[in-house]
Amino acid sequence: MASEDIAKLAETLAKTQVAGGQLSFKGKSLKLNTAEDAKDVIKEIEDFDGLEALRLEGNTVGVEAAKVIAKALEKKSELKRCHWSDMFTGRLRSEIPPALISLGEGLITAGAQLVELDLSDNAFGPDGVRGFEALLKSSACFTLHELKLNNCGMGIGGGKILAAALTECHRKSSAQGKPLALKVFVAGRNRLENDGATALAEAFGIIGTLEEVHMPQNGINHPGVMALAQAFAINPLLRVINLNDNTFTEKGAVAMAETLKTLRQVEVINFGDCLVRSKGAVAIADAVRGGLPKLKELNLSFCEIKRDAALAIAEAVGDKAELEKLDLNGNTLGEEGCEQLQEVLDGFNMAKVLASLSDDEGEDDEDEEEEEGEEEEEEDEEEEEEEEEEEEPQQQGQGEELTTPSRKILDPNSGTDTSDPEKVVSAFLKVSSVFKDEATVRTAVQDAVDALMKKAFSSSSFNSNAFLTRLLIHMGLLKSEDKVKAIANLYGPLMALNHMVQQDYFPKALAPLLLAFVTKPNGALEACSFARHNLLQTLYKV
């Protein structure tokens, strides 16, 4: 082989990673807008014999580039794994569905039989789910084992579309004698809420082959948790259940505990930050005590669990020979309770499995009656909110008073001092905190924001720069000498800002400053990538 040929080969191998049927362009930051931009990628796909896995993570693929890549994939019938997370960075939301449709058509034409599809971190929203809906319903996905859609901003609507597509895939594949046998489902940080989770639960119940379910940070309350619990009960192969940072309360925790009693393969349970509280923890302890022989990890951290309930958990894991980690940090055990917990586990020779208790909240003096009353009050409020949302369209039609949360929180005539930037920031954050993707709530929030901010920005005495500075501080995007507790969830404020910056009353001179802070690395922003992406796209155009 000539030296120049060796050099060319070395250059090609440097560009891509080829192993075990895998072609990887991962993390190369390629900007593929046109067919010309994608020609090198296409050539490598076309020249790769026996392509089984294609990695496109960490690049950005436009509509035209997606079409020609899809054309190259039409001849790759052996393709099984599509690692396509984070491949639409900087794209308009409207570009993503057609790009996904093209890529899906290429796979269908090829007759591919996928086992893994990863579209995580693409912030495509409900419309993006439409982009791969046809693919999910096609024979290309009858063999799918792993579906990963973490951090995509699907919302309730996207969750329902996804659930329907999975159900249809199972129906079609069953008709051919090989029913869909999905094993791994990942959809954290998607704002699925109760309705989205319930729709997916119905699909899970039909599929029945799940081994891992990861749905953290989705705003799911006890109705959605109860629906998932029912679905999990008819998925006997479940090994990993991760519902971290949703809201169980006692109702959800008890329902999930009943399901755990029926499952024998579970190895990992992550209900951290799920507000299971003491009664829920006792119910889970009872389920652990009576079963779960393969349990390796149990996370009930930051769940408002008191000492006696935590001790019940510790006693329940005493015979779990495979247990590697028990996390009860961030609860209300108190110093004495933490010591007792360690003593119980010491007695089982299991002290090493206990995670740090450094964030324990200290012993809570409230008795169980107060906790029960608190919990019932919270659940009643949840039910009232659900009823209000259901009744709202009828009330609007009858001309009755609106019950949209934002109208209660901020009335344009409520007397907010719009000359004071701090008070305007407070009012803005209050109303934006109740933002939801449902049309009626979204419109009400936007109307309230318009009423407040139009009045503020039109006042000659209002300091716009001070307003934005204080807003960034309260959102945790700018440090301040005075101690200000940043708000926990930025989704509503980001969506409200996205609306506000498009209005005529918004001072366009503020856009570059806002853009500079929203583009900086920040954990809270990354947790709301869908809303952040939308705002960035808008700011680039302002």
Side-chain angles (χ1 to χ4, degrees):
M1 182 181 289
S3 59
E4 57 187 44
D5 293 332
I6 295 174
K8 286 181 180 178
L9 178 59
E11 184 181 352
T12 301
L13 290 174
K15 287 181 182 176
T16 61
Q17 300 163 19
V18 181
Q22 174 175 283
L23 176 61
S24 177
F25 299 92
K26 182 178 179 180
K28 294 192 175 295
S29 301
L30 301 175
K31 295 181 179 179
L32 309 178
N33 298 317
T34 64
E36 180 66 20
D37 295 335
K39 66 179 182 179
D40 291 338
V41 171
I42 294 164
K43 186 176 188 309
E44 294 197 45
I45 291 173
E46 290 175 339
D47 292 347
F48 196 111
D49 292 330
L51 180 63
E52 294 184 7
L54 178 61
R55 308 196 76 105
L56 292 173
E57 309 105 307
N59 299 290
T60 178
V61 181
V63 176
E64 292 305 313
K67 285 180 180 178
V68 291
I69 291 172
K71 193 70 178 174
L73 292 177
E74 289 181 1
K75 297 179 181 178
K76 301 299 174 181
S77 61
E78 296 176 353
L79 187 61
K80 293 180 174 62
R81 299 183 183 276
C82 296
H83 302 281
W84 294 351
S85 63
D86 188 24
M87 68 172 201
F88 295 112
T89 303
R91 296 289 166 188
L92 293 173
R93 187 172 162 187
S94 59
E95 292 181 86
I96 301 176
L100 287 172
I101 288 170
S102 294
L103 292 167
E105 288 173 348
L107 296 172
I108 295 169
T109 301
Q113 294 187 314
L114 299 183
V115 296
E116 180 178 359
L117 177 61
D118 186 355
L119 291 169
S120 299
D121 301 316
N122 278 313
F124 45 58
D127 293 340
V129 184
R130 291 285 188 200
F132 61 93
E133 180 184 14
L135 174 63
L136 279 181
K137 292 179 179 180
S138 75
S139 59
C141 286
F142 289 178
T143 50
L144 197 63
H145 287 169
E146 300 181 31
L147 180 58
K148 301 174 182 178
L149 300 165
N150 200 56
N151 198 28
C152 290
M154 290 189 291
I156 294 171
K160 289 181 176 180
I161 297 167
L162 177 61
L166 288 171
T167 301
E168 181 67 3
C169 180
H170 186 271
R171 185 190 69 78
K172 286 183 174 181
S173 57
S174 297
Q176 293 190 9
K178 293 182 179 179
L180 171 67
L182 190 66
K183 296 179 181 180
V184 177
F185 179 83
V186 181
R189 294 182 175 182
N190 271 293
R191 299 187 64 82
L192 295 169
E193 302 185 19
N194 290 332
D195 288 349
T198 299
L200 285 166
E202 291 176 7
F204 295 164
I206 292 168
I207 293 168
T209 56
L210 288 166
E211 296 180 13
E212 295 185 26
V213 175
H214 302 264
M215 296 174 67
Q217 296 183 21
N218 270 298
I220 305 169
N221 297 326
H222 74 264
V225 174
M226 292 168 74
L228 288 170
Q230 291 176 357
F232 292 166
I234 41 183
N235 280 267
L237 301 178
L238 267 174
R239 294 184 296 104
V240 178
I241 304 174
N242 176 8
L243 294 177
N244 186 282
D245 199 8
N246 290 291
T247 306
F248 282 37
T249 64
E250 182 187 344
K251 287 183 180 179
V254 169
M256 197 60 72
E258 288 302 309
T259 286
L260 291 175
K261 291 178 181 179
T262 69
L263 300 174
R264 306 295 295 174
Q265 306 300 319
V266 173
E267 298 175 5
V268 177
I269 297 171
N270 187 344
F271 296 159
D273 203 13
C274 282
L275 201 65
V276 305
R277 288 197 169 137
S278 294
K279 288 188 176 180
V282 169
I284 291 171
D286 186 45
V288 172
R289 185 181 298 107
L292 304 176
K294 299 183 178 182
L295 188 63
K296 293 181 179 179
E297 182 176 334
L298 175 59
N299 184 346
L300 292 172
S301 60
F302 299 93
C303 281
E304 294 191 7
I305 298 171
K306 296 182 180 179
R307 178 180 59 183
D308 290 347
L311 294 176
I313 291 286
E315 290 166 359
V317 301
D319 64 344
K320 307 306 170 194
E322 297 185 34
L323 191 68
E324 298 172 359
K325 184 178 181 181
L326 172 63
D327 193 345
L328 290 167
N329 196 21
N331 288 299
T332 54
L333 311 185
E335 186 176 346
E336 185 179 342
C338 290
E339 291 174 359
Q340 290 176 334
L341 185 64
Q342 290 169 329
E343 287 172 6
V344 170
L345 291 169
D346 272 335
F348 296 128
N349 196 27
M350 297 176 71
K352 65 181 182 181
V353 307
L354 183 63
S356 168
L357 297 172
S358 60
D359 292 319
D360 186 75
E361 296 289 337
E363 192 163 8
D364 192 342
D365 293 330
E366 293 181 2
D367 59 25
E368 286 297 318
E369 278 186 25
E370 288 176 343
E371 180 181 293
E372 183 179 346
E374 245 178 52
E375 188 161 294
E376 286 176 359
E377 186 179 327
E378 284 181 9
E379 290 176 354
D380 287 344
E381 285 175 4
E382 285 174 14
E383 287 166 8
E384 283 172 14
E385 284 176 10
E386 287 165 12
E387 286 170 8
E388 285 173 356
E389 286 172 11
E390 288 172 5
E391 292 169 4
E392 191 173 81
Q394 295 177 355
Q395 290 174 332
Q396 289 187 39
Q398 295 166 2
E400 295 179 9
E401 185 181 354
L402 281 169
T403 56
T404 305
S406 58
R407 297 295 174 100
K408 291 181 178 179
I409 291 173
L410 181 64
D411 182 339
N413 300 311
S414 63
T416 300
D417 182 1
T418 52
S419 66
D420 185 336
E422 184 69 26
K423 289 180 180 178
V424 174
V425 167
S426 178
F428 175 85
L429 291 175
K430 280 182 181 178
V431 68
S432 63
S433 69
V434 298
F435 182 94
K436 288 188 177 181
D437 293 315
E438 290 93 332
T440 50
V441 180
R442 180 176 66 245
T443 300
V445 169
Q446 291 173 349
D447 288 348
V449 166
D450 287 342
L452 172 72
M453 299 313 304
K454 186 174 183 179
K455 184 178 179 183
F457 285 131
S458 63
S459 171
S460 58
S461 62
F462 184 67
N463 189 328
S464 300
N465 289 321
F467 163 77
L468 185 56
T469 299
R470 297 303 300 172
L471 180 61
L472 291 169
I473 289 170
H474 282 275
M475 292 175 69
L477 306 182
L478 179 63
K479 291 182 179 179
S480 170
E481 292 182 3
D482 53 333
K483 293 182 179 179
V484 175
K485 185 177 180 181
I487 57 175
N489 190 334
L490 297 183
Y491 185 82
L494 289 172
M495 295 300 281
L497 279 170
N498 185 50
H499 169 77
M500 182 178 77
V501 299
Q502 298 178 64
Q503 308 311 309
D504 291 337
Y505 62 72
F506 178 74
K508 299 301 185 279
L510 296 180
L513 179 60
L514 182 57
L515 179 63
F517 281 93
V518 178
T519 52
K520 286 184 176 181
N522 181 282
L525 286 173
E526 288 163 11
C528 304
S529 63
F530 172 67
R532 181 191 199 182
H533 174 80
N534 280 354
L535 178 56
L536 285 173
Q537 293 301 328
T538 301
L539 288 170
Y540 282 128
K541 293 184 288 184
V542 170

